[in-house]
Amino acid sequence: MLYTKEDIENHTNNLELWQHEAYEQFSDMMNQRETPYPCVPGIQGFMKNMLRFGFVDDPRTNDSTNQLARLLKDYGEISRDTGNYASLVIFCDTRALLEEQTTIDGYEDLFWNTLNETHKKDPAPWPEDIPKDPEDPSWEFCFNGEAYFAFCATPAHEIRNSRFFPFLLLAFQPRWVFDEINDSTPFGRKIKKVIRKRLVEYDGIPTHPALKWYGQKDNHEWKQYFLKDDESTLPKCPFTSLKNKWKSLRP
């Protein structure tokens, strides 16, 4: 089910221990003042109860992608009513992965497998206004007709603090949120400078070269979904199910 901030904070007895711990860690991260979390819209969304939360099982299981698909479907139907800084935050049951000391590369594989398997459960066709090829600068992950910027943080990150979280965390930010936050608006340019400055201070290293604006000619959204501790990226997008289908249909 989808939770609001108040749902979780007022009904903690309804949560499993790991779920309660995951939310508390997230709340602490959003409320940190000494070195604030870089994503200003994310903090605003949290403070103003615009975020929605969900929990899924061990992400290696089929149940987890069934749960994620249901959460994304339900969220897409109400996201526009939650506020201008909307996002869906998913906490994954990471206990077994922690015991196995899963690496960043392992989490990266798991992240892309999760997106691919969840996509297979999409009840709606791919939106006509979103390119089907991940190499297109305007491509974005879609589910049930909605486009989302997908974000992943893991317990294995040790250097890039903005991508560290004690549990595997997935966040899905609706594409429409960026209508007022982009390079074509004064507000968008201003907030970008603030976020980039805070990102460098938070991580203690330069920003990843893959971080660019949506639609920018040399931009690839998929490269920003999962950032490693270093500046490397995968040679090609692992989201292949649609890409391969699209290529096979070309004349």
Side-chain angles (χ1 to χ4, degrees):
M1 63 177 289
L2 293 172
Y3 293 90
T4 65
K5 181 173 180 282
E6 283 75 13
D7 287 337
I8 295 178
E9 294 176 353
N10 295 333
H11 301 90
T12 54
N13 291 338
N14 296 336
L15 300 178
E16 295 182 41
L17 180 59
W18 77 265
Q19 295 173 331
H20 175 70
E21 290 177 350
Y23 175 79
E24 285 300 309
Q25 292 280 356
F26 184 84
S27 178
D28 289 346
M29 184 171 69
M30 292 292 103
N31 285 304
Q32 189 170 271
R33 291 291 177 266
E34 187 173 335
T35 307
Y37 189 70
C39 184
V40 178
I43 293 175
Q44 290 295 312
F46 179 73
M47 298 300 180
K48 296 180 179 181
N49 197 32
M50 296 178 184
L51 306 187
R52 293 298 179 267
F53 301 92
F55 301 93
V56 301
D57 293 343
D58 186 321
R60 295 171 295 185
T61 66
N62 188 55
D63 283 345
S64 70
T65 51
N66 285 334
Q67 292 159 0
L68 179 56
R70 178 60 184 269
L71 287 165
L72 279 167
K73 183 177 184 298
D74 291 347
Y75 179 70
E77 295 170 356
I78 58 96
S79 64
R80 294 176 188 272
D81 299 323
T82 62
N84 56 326
Y85 294 137
S87 278
L88 172 63
V89 179
I90 302 294
F91 303 113
C92 304
D93 186 348
T94 323
R95 291 172 292 181
L97 292 161
L98 287 167
E99 288 182 5
E100 296 169 17
Q101 298 182 327
T102 305
T103 64
I104 287 182
D105 289 343
Y107 279 113
E108 185 174 36
D109 290 342
L110 183 55
F111 167 73
W112 285 108
N113 182 68
T114 297
L115 286 194
N116 274 311
E117 291 303 310
T118 302
H119 163 67
K120 293 177 183 178
K121 307 173 194 298
D122 191 343
W126 196 262
E128 293 184 1
D129 59 331
I130 301 296
K132 296 180 175 67
D133 185 356
E135 298 306 318
D136 191 297
S138 296
W139 178 88
E140 199 78 279
F141 174 74
C142 299
F143 194 88
N144 200 33
E146 292 285 349
Y148 296 96
F149 177 84
F151 170 96
C152 184
T154 84
H157 281 77
E158 297 179 347
I159 300 172
R160 204 172 295 280
N161 294 325
S162 57
R163 294 295 175 132
F164 168 81
F165 193 73
F167 296 79
L168 180 61
L169 180 151
L170 310 176
F172 296 88
Q173 193 164 19
R175 185 72 251 162
W176 55 260
V177 169
F178 298 94
D179 288 347
E180 301 299 324
I181 309 175
N182 58 67
D183 199 32
S184 66
T185 67
F187 176 70
R189 291 190 291 271
K190 179 180 179 181
I191 202 168
K192 175 187 176 183
K193 290 181 180 179
V194 173
I195 292 174
R196 293 295 167 84
K197 181 177 183 294
R198 288 169 61 153
L199 189 59
V200 170
E201 294 171 350
Y202 196 82
D203 286 349
I205 57 175
T207 56
H208 197 287
L211 293 178
K212 303 180 188 299
W213 283 103
Y214 176 74
Q216 189 175 323
K217 288 184 178 180
D218 59 346
N219 174 64
H220 294 95
E221 288 288 281
W222 68 267
K223 291 185 178 181
Q224 303 181 53
Y225 288 4
F226 192 105
L227 299 182
K228 298 185 182 183
D229 269 340
D230 57 22
E231 295 187 349
S232 66
T233 56
L234 295 173
K236 63 179 181 178
C237 180
F239 190 78
T240 56
S241 52
L242 257 183
K243 182 181 179 182
N244 290 341
K245 180 180 178 182
W246 176 74
K247 284 188 173 181
S248 68
L249 296 175
R250 295 176 68 183

